[in-house]
Amino acid sequence: MDYIVGQRWVSHADAQLGLGIIVEVEPRRVTLSFPAVGEERTYAADSAPLTRLRFKAGDHISTVNNVELEVTSVKEKEGLLLYTGTDHHEQTVTVSELELDAFVQITTPQQRLLNGHFDKHSDFALRVSTLMQLDRLQRSSARGLMGSRTNLLPHQVYIANEVGQRHAPRVLLADEVGLGKTIEAGMIVQQQLLTGRANRVLILVPQTLLHQWLVEMLRRFNLHFSLFDDERLRETSSVDPLDDDPLLQLPEDNPFDAEQLVLCSLDLFQANPGYRNLALASHWDLVVVDEAHHLHWSPEQAGEDYHFVAELAAQSPGLLLLTATPEQVGLASHFARLQLLDPERFHSLTEFEREEREYRRWSEMAAQLEAGDRPEDLPAGLDPAAPAATLIDQILDRHGTGRVMFRNTRAAISGFPNRVMHRHPLPNPDSYAHASLDIAAALHPELPYHDDSWLAFDPRVAWLEQTLKQLRPAKVLVICARASTALALEHYLHLRAGIRSAAFYEGLSIIERDRAAAYFADENNGAQTLVCSEIGSEGRNFQFAHHLILFDLPLNPDLLEQRIGRLDRIGQEQDVEIHVPYLEGSAQETLLEWYDRGLNLFRESCSAGTMIFDTFQTRLLAQLEHRNDDFQTLLDDTAEFTARTRLELREGRDRLLERNSCKPEVAAAVIADIRANEDSDTLAAYLESLCEAYGVEHEFHSDQAVVLRPTEHMLTGHFPYLDDEGLTATFSRDKALAREDMAFLTWEHPMLVAAMDMVLSTELGNASLGTIKLRGIAPGTMLLECLYSINCVAPRSLQVERFLPLTPLRLLVDARGKDLAGLVPHERLNGLVERVNKNTALAIIKQVQADVESKMTLAGKQAQERLAPILVEAEQEMRAALGAEHDRLTALRRVNPSIRQQELDHLSYRMEECAIHIRHAGLQLQALRLIITT
Ligand SMILES: Nc1ncnc2c1ncn2[C@@H]1O[C@H](COP(=O)(O)OP(=O)(O)OP(=O)(O)O)[C@@H](O)[C@H]1O
């Protein structure tokens, strides 16, 4: 494709951009400015979704200077088109395509019909059915949630539905370990992308989870993220990775701009501060940060990673933070993360701490409201006459963590396995006498050894070997705190004990780590055991194993919970067997006792671990150093405190959060809608007609599954997502979950999305001609079937399309200009219309040309009349939605003076801008069929 600066192109992927103008051409990229929406876009030159706009003689064009021309001739000069025509003063004028008005509407169906370009009826029907399906999908409550290859779990579907529909969502996904936060984030990202709310997404994860995220996004959501690491950035940018001077001139070629979906490790920016400016200079619609509790923050000082994410958070409209243990590093730092999400709502730590103490009161109030009572002491600013559901939402928003935080607990979700604990006391060897020196050495007595001589006398080692042999062939995950321990153990098991094993620790490259994890996961020829340092205790999926050996214990209950969470997660089908070897009389034993008898952590997960730890820390540390008779009292006190805290959480904060994190009736309705889409045969039938239209071979594979293959007679050289090998795909979710080799075809599979887009962005089926026998109507009578869609050219940031329906406006005008659409539905007409041979069709069109044009004018007028109330309704809907946001901020401002007037003003401004664009929305003729009665 030859691009030349100044040429005019339209994006067929995004008609709302209006008419673009090429402003820069580079060897592999082309940049267009879209003046109608004030945006610039850069595309890869060989795959840009662009169509050159060429007018022909007879077309009407308008220029930026409001000159209207009817084109009489077209010439090309140095790659640019020059249009000559007559304006309304009958003057002959020549304008360059450079001067064309960017707010162009191209109504090609009429031009094609009158010029004798007729499509098959089946193609016309396909086009109309595409419009109808898109409209149905847009209105479906399952929109954006159909395509993921996952089980439909209510708590995930609820969150994805609630958050994914938001404009610029900013939330903390804090489900307890292993409940599927990655899946929730994937569903939200997918929904945001599919609905056009987001285009550019950046995901930041710990290095150990990069590959897992990459694979999960691809296999569950068909999302192709590009992995950016040091190597890739060095290859594509000249920035010095170590130079983080913010005033540095950034290169024009920002590598982050080259991809829409980027996955990076957060550590990359720690090690190479120079890359931060690059990432910040790129625009993101949505930033996702996994294991967000790692961001360093304390009331005295925030870490560089926190600052970096805070800067990203400030420039990106959407932000998802993920953590299973939000309070792992304390309440203050939990608050700091909430502040990243909603600085208006979370403006004062003291206030937040006070609120936390009141959760029980709000929880009880919500319960009262739900039971139909009206409490006397409703907080100020709430309308006692409002419906209970509204009041509950407002209480959650203003006094709980409301719309910002989602946390489902295992207690509320059934189907988790039991945890079974096995203690293994072992004699404490004399060589570890030094262990009482400090707590780290007491808990990990092998640490002071610079070689592996400790392996010979530490009884945990021989026990480990023996236990693994006993458990054979069961897979066993071994976790210890330090990399050196993991490495030494793995060497021992592998080289001296002959046990198939792999190590997983920070010294390995990402590829080596993933190779180790894959070796462990391999069912047939894989390792029996994986020995991990603490980095293996976070985020990874090892639920195919159900034996966990804790070679030592971390001094942090949330870390212990994370360790157990590797196995105790969704998909675990057996009881989780937790084995803990410990040295008798050592600090390890004391810690084990405290976790077990104090917190009961080996049997039940506990979301207040850190808080309980903080409460007893001093007493516990003293006991770890030197255990005495007070220990029993510490255990009793901890157990009593834990029981009380659990109860408080259940009745207070957790219940308040749960109320917000899964509403079963809403989830059930969405799931039913997703299922209804899967269970009907409409998709299969639609796919068949698509394949027929485009010449793709379509063959039965098995129940609910098909094989698609490209052929030599394809209409276009290429069909989206279909390579030479073909594609085996199923419409059944259950089959897709069991058969990873099959694609899961839903209305939201990228093949369907791209193919539907292809139908509407090309001319396929937009002009058709046929005959019909209708009793009682004189032969030779003309009917025109016209389908219009609403087209609103507006800056993308306004997201106007979410208020405008996609429902096509259909008219069937008869010879007198009367609309019969209501009497004869489209499907019925399809069954009655007969095709006409090309010569007859050309003869017909010659005869009725003038008549068609006048009927088109009538149809256009009628459609315009029908458009008016639709636009009024769209504006009302927009005002209601943005108005509610405005009201919320105004209400929050009463309790929180830090909300700036400027923000409220900006919302009002947005509302007015949206209103202007909605009022100027126009109609685009999508398809036209001329029918003559015989
Ligand atoms: N709806 C689902 N269908 C099928 N598998 C699922 C579903 N939800 C979660 N899983 C699987 O369960 C495991 C846990 O999910 P995920 O990794 O998203 O949990 P998490 O909450 O992020 O865990 P952690 O707290 O450990 O980071 C993964 O193996 C995931 O693939």
Side-chain angles (χ1 to χ4, degrees), residues 149-153 156 175-184 209 212 216 219-220 290-291 322-324 538-541 543 562 565-566 569-571 737:
R149 192 195 288 261
T150 56
N151 279 313
L152 297 171
L153 303 178
Q156 295 175 347
D175 281 0
E176 282 185 349
V177 203
L179 289 187
K181 291 177 290 296
T182 318
I183 304 293
E184 287 161 11
L209 301 180
Q212 188 170 295
E216 288 274 86
R219 71 174 237 246
R220 297 210 182 264
D290 190 19
E291 307 295 356
L322 277 63
T323 172
E538 226 171 47
R540 304 275 325 190
N541 297 321
Q543 66 271 53
Q562 290 271 17
R566 293 317 95 218
R569 55 210 286 105
I570 287 174
L737 280 165

Side-chain angles (χ1 to χ4, degrees), residues 566-721:
R566 293 317 95 218
L567 271 57
D568 188 1
R569 55 210 286 105
I570 287 174
Q572 179 57 267
E573 284 161 6
Q574 316 228 20
D575 285 352
V576 176
E577 312 276 344
I578 307 170
H579 308 265
V580 196
Y582 60 95
L583 303 175
E584 282 171 311
S586 70
Q588 291 175 351
E589 182 177 11
T590 308
L591 188 58
L592 169 72
E593 287 287 332
W594 188 72
Y595 280 146
D596 190 23
R597 300 201 203 285
L599 276 95
N600 195 25
L601 212 54
F602 296 102
R603 289 171 184 82
E604 220 184 315
S605 70
C606 174
S607 54
T610 302
M611 197 264 278
I612 300 171
F613 180 78
D614 287 347
T615 310
F616 293 97
Q617 186 173 16
T618 320
R619 286 166 68 188
L620 175 68
L621 293 182
Q623 292 296 327
L624 291 178
E625 252 170 53
H626 181 69
R627 182 158 150 184
N628 58 26
D629 292 346
D630 293 342
F631 186 55
Q632 189 54 47
T633 329
L634 172 64
L635 286 185
D636 294 343
D637 291 352
T638 312
E640 192 266 330
F641 184 80
T642 304
R644 195 155 28 94
T645 311
R646 275 186 201 275
L647 188 74
E648 293 238 323
L649 284 179
R650 283 240 36 79
E651 290 183 359
R653 190 194 70 183
D654 278 3
R655 185 160 298 169
L656 208 59
L657 279 169
E658 265 161 29
R659 195 178 271 288
N660 204 43
S661 304
C662 184
K663 294 184 183 156
E665 60 298 345
V666 177
V670 178
I671 290 177
D673 197 359
I674 299 176
R675 287 276 181 212
N677 269 289
E678 279 162 22
D679 294 344
S680 100
D681 294 332
T682 327
L683 174 59
Y686 179 81
L687 181 72
E688 210 174 323
S689 44
L690 251 184
C691 289
E692 245 162 57
Y694 284 93
V696 172
E697 193 181 300
H698 175 281
E699 200 184 288
F700 175 82
H701 174 280
S702 53
D703 182 35
Q704 299 245 52
V706 289
V707 184
L708 307 181
R709 283 195 202 88
T711 65
E712 288 184 351
H713 328 286
M714 290 209 299
L715 192 62
T716 43
H718 164 81
F719 191 80
Y721 289 83

Side-chain angles (χ1 to χ4, degrees), residues 520-587:
F520 181 45
D522 186 336
E523 242 173 74
N524 301 321
N525 299 310
Q528 188 203 352
T529 185
L530 184 74
V531 187
C532 298
S533 67
E534 206 72 77
I535 60 158
S537 69
E538 226 171 47
R540 304 275 325 190
N541 297 321
F542 294 127
Q543 66 271 53
F544 51 84
H546 66 279
H547 285 283
L548 172 67
I549 293 181
L550 300 173
F551 191 78
D552 50 27
L553 294 172
L555 192 56
N556 179 331
D558 279 353
L559 268 186
L560 180 56
E561 181 60 27
Q562 290 271 17
R563 283 188 182 189
I564 301 172
R566 293 317 95 218
L567 271 57
D568 188 1
R569 55 210 286 105
I570 287 174
Q572 179 57 267
E573 284 161 6
Q574 316 228 20
D575 285 352
V576 176
E577 312 276 344
I578 307 170
H579 308 265
V580 196
Y582 60 95
L583 303 175
E584 282 171 311
S586 70

